[in-house]
Amino acid sequence: MAETSATPASLATVHGYPRQGPDRELKKAIEGYWAGRVTADELHDTAARLRRDNWRHLAGAGVREVPTGDFSLYDHVLDTTVMVGAIPERHRAAVEADALDGYFAMARGTQAVAPLEMTKWFDTNYHYLVPELGADTVFTADPAKQVGELREALAQGHSPRPVLVGPVTYLLLAKPAPGMDPGFDPTTLLDRLLPVYVQVLTALRAAGAEWVQLDEPALVQDRDQAVLDAAARAYRELGSLTYRPKILVASYFDRLGEALPVLAEAPIEGLGLDFTGPAAANLNDLARVGGVVGKRLIAGVVDGRNVWINDLERSLSTLATLLGLTDRVDVAASCSLLHVPLDVALEHGVDPQVGRWLAFARQKTAEIVTLARALSEGTGAIAGQLAANRADLASRAASALTHDSAVRARSAAVTPADARRSQPYPERAVAQRARLGLPLLPTTTIGSFPQTTELRAARADLRAGRIDAAAYDERIASEIRSVLVFQEAAGIDVLVHGEPERNDMVQYFAEQLNGYLATQHGWVQSYGTRYVRPPILAGDVSRTEPMTLRWTRYAQSQTARPVKGMLTGPVTMLAWSFVRDDQPLAETARQVALALRDEVADLEAAGTAVIQVDEPALRETLPLRAADRPGYLAWAGEAFRLTTGGVRADTQIHTHMCYAEFGEILAAIDDLDADVISLEAARSHMQVARELAEAGYPREVGPGVYDIHSPRVPGVGEVASLLRKGLDGIPAERLWVNPDCGLKTRGWSEVRDSLDNLVAAAREIRKEVADQPSA
């Protein structure tokens, strides 16, 4: 590209940064606190050190304005709930007795008190804790965390910008509190909430904040006029304050659309916009409204959700256009860097050439600084970086890793018939019941059982060479036998082998599929202290040999009860990976589906009667804008059916989904044509069961009755009560009994008691159903 001249100084900044530390120090400190090995003071010291290290790294890399308030011990939405004083009544006593323990009780629950519901953060794999609000909610300002972290950064010599969840998004993320009318609209509380934000902004200004960022990602979704009017009112009121910091409203994940002119006209000083992926439409939208002259614009031109290097020349072209639409352009990632791993330099096992295609948080920070320097000093100042970037992009495009002609030919040959079962569900149901012989309200689990310290140690010993493969395999076989014996004794009807050989439900398959890359330190927060290492989908996908057959067949040989084959579905394999950005997602999904179809065929040929293909990410990957959803659902549904469409009528296909709002995709769930679907339902009190019933869903359903994301052991009465709610909409002959999700993260003592109670409740409800007079 032609060399561009310098403009007034452009700042490099970020919206947020990974919290965990290079060695997941935060996770270890929090879990140590829960276990009693770490004191509250030690936990807070670890958190402060990680914040200090993050700010120091950002400043050292050239970031001139660092974020504060984005750091969290569990979840930033829960932090906002504390900041505005919206503590649920059932947790209030615990919070008042001990703020830290009360905070974690809201997140995880206790044996006596249920936690807040958890769901996906927009279309990411991060989970937030859902605020519970009602007509009687009283908001009170508690900005201690936000002010404290601001003062920490100032004391360390940084230029900080506090980052908060904005008031409109906070209300749109909330749900009616228990006991409230389900139709209650939390946004009606805006006028009650705004005075609290006024107090928070005033406190931050008094503590030294020049700018405060209010995140309003909910405004990138389709919103009616009432919400747009609420946003206009909110920022008109906040902007009219005489004593406050400058306000920057940020959005991300998609284009602002109808909300853009609202914020462009608001009396605020800055906007943060995403210009990557579908949000690239913000560029044209911004031009249509005449730009934002007089406002600061933070341009998110570096993708904060994926791991591929930035095309610097393309980003500079976007930035050059933006310079004509506003007075000041600063450079950032598209969203918080919370959604990517920390540092590519830690990945010593990745081929160095492939490593040059990748950018994690630290590399993205360097890209942001480079782009800001080009805006300030002209592109001549980064000529070397531009040349290297151009070469790396060309290397990736030409690599044999990204193109496999056999895979592409097979994908091109797929027909519509390949993605459909040969018999309709009613015929399949008859054949499956005859083959399986299950009781009414059959019990099962979702797949994984606790990954004990001993299991993790065995895996580490194998990697380190302290044990050989034969010793490791015997350890796995022993664990499978134990899990099967427990399930049989507990009275579970359809068993699982427990997945002791698997490190993660996506990574395990990715490590065995051509086209995927695995990382060693690429940890990303999913929720709380749960971190995952998403694999990197870099090339065309194929399967070399069976991936699950050995241990599934072994497990079935140990019991007369059916053992489920367990696979992760193609949509989730994409959604929980860093997916390639050089071809349509539909093509990548089809390639993964064909590889999994081969695995399904092998399992069925080995006699597996029940095969579960998990798709927990189907809802979370749903585009944020309604206009984009039909195309996504078409290829996602085809990919699932392509995986499962080749089996016989008497082979029962299960799928599983967890922690999302399903109401918007019930037709798509139906179109998957799975014989049985299990779904998260415990925290939402069977809401999804009611939705499926209202939609006339015709197949078998297992709404979860045991919340596995909490250490609570549900009692028999609690599980039975949930099952009765399920029976209000789903007939007994189509209702399954199962936990919400896999049991990998729970301890054995909790699992034993919880599953014993689950089976006892199922027996109790079976008897109630049997005792009912027939119609």
Side-chain angles (χ1 to χ4, degrees), residues 183-462:
F184 174 75
D185 180 3
T187 63
T188 60
L189 301 175
L190 180 62
D191 291 336
R192 202 181 299 178
L193 179 62
L194 287 176
V196 171
Y197 271 81
V198 168
Q199 294 177 60
V200 172
L201 290 174
T202 301
L204 289 169
R205 181 69 188 94
E210 180 183 354
W211 285 87
V212 167
Q213 177 174 321
L214 296 173
D215 283 355
E216 294 286 8
L219 295 181
V220 306
Q221 296 172 292
D222 298 309
R223 295 300 177 189
D224 59 24
Q225 192 60 47
V227 170
L228 298 177
D229 290 345
R233 189 168 75 254
Y235 287 100
R236 186 168 57 247
E237 181 168 333
L238 295 178
S240 67
L241 296 175
T242 56
Y243 183 74
R244 63 169 176 82
K246 295 175 185 176
I247 295 174
L248 175 112
V249 177
S251 67
Y252 34 82
F253 302 147
D254 212 317
R255 65 185 185 91
L256 263 178
E258 305 84 356
L260 179 56
V262 173
L263 296 178
E265 296 168 8
I268 57 175
E269 288 73 28
L271 282 178
L273 298 180
D274 182 352
F275 293 97
T276 66
N282 274 327
L283 185 61
N284 289 333
D285 291 349
L286 195 60
R288 274 195 291 270
V289 301
V292 283
V293 177
K295 285 183 168 60
R296 174 189 185 187
L297 177 65
I298 293 185
V301 292
V302 172
D303 190 345
R305 297 180 56 179
N306 212 333
V307 295
W308 303 107
I309 56 172
N310 185 259
D311 185 333
L312 296 179
E313 291 185 339
R314 180 180 298 174
S315 292
L316 285 171
S317 177
T318 297
L319 293 167
T321 302
L322 291 172
L323 286 170
L325 297 172
T326 187
D327 295 341
R328 172 182 171 185
V329 177
D330 293 332
V331 185
S334 59
C335 60
S336 172
L337 295 175
L338 170 74
H339 304 288
V340 296
L342 184 61
D343 190 0
V344 174
L346 299 174
E347 301 303 327
H348 303 297
V350 173
D351 181 276
Q353 180 57 59
V354 175
R356 292 188 62 82
W357 307 343
L358 303 176
F360 294 176
R362 290 189 174 173
Q363 288 71 38
K364 289 180 184 294
T365 301
E367 291 176 335
I368 291 165
V369 171
T370 296
L371 290 166
R373 184 182 177 200
L375 283 193
S376 299
E377 303 175 25
T379 53
I382 63 163
Q385 290 97 319
L386 286 173
N389 179 250
R390 201 177 298 119
D392 291 337
L393 291 170
S395 166
R396 181 184 171 205
S399 171
L401 176 64
T402 62
H403 296 86
D404 184 321
S405 58
V407 170
R408 295 192 173 225
R410 186 184 182 194
S411 176
V414 168
T415 69
D418 293 327
R420 289 291 177 188
R421 301 281 291 273
S422 58
Q423 300 89 0
Y425 168 72
E427 294 179 17
R428 303 197 310 258
V430 172
Q432 291 159 17
R433 286 169 186 157
R435 181 181 184 184
L436 295 171
L438 299 173
L440 205 62
L441 279 73
T443 54
T444 189
T445 64
I446 302 304
S448 61
F449 265 68
Q451 289 264 326
T452 62
T453 301
E454 292 77 14
L455 271 177
R456 292 191 178 94
R459 198 173 290 131
D461 287 344
L462 178 66

Side-chain angles (χ1 to χ4, degrees), residues 677-681 686 688-689 701-705 726 730 735-736 738-740:
I677 183 169
S678 55
L679 302 130
E680 177 276 327
M686 288 285 165
V688 71
V701 182
V705 294
I730 301 168
L735 187 67
W736 284 64
N738 47 259
D740 271 343

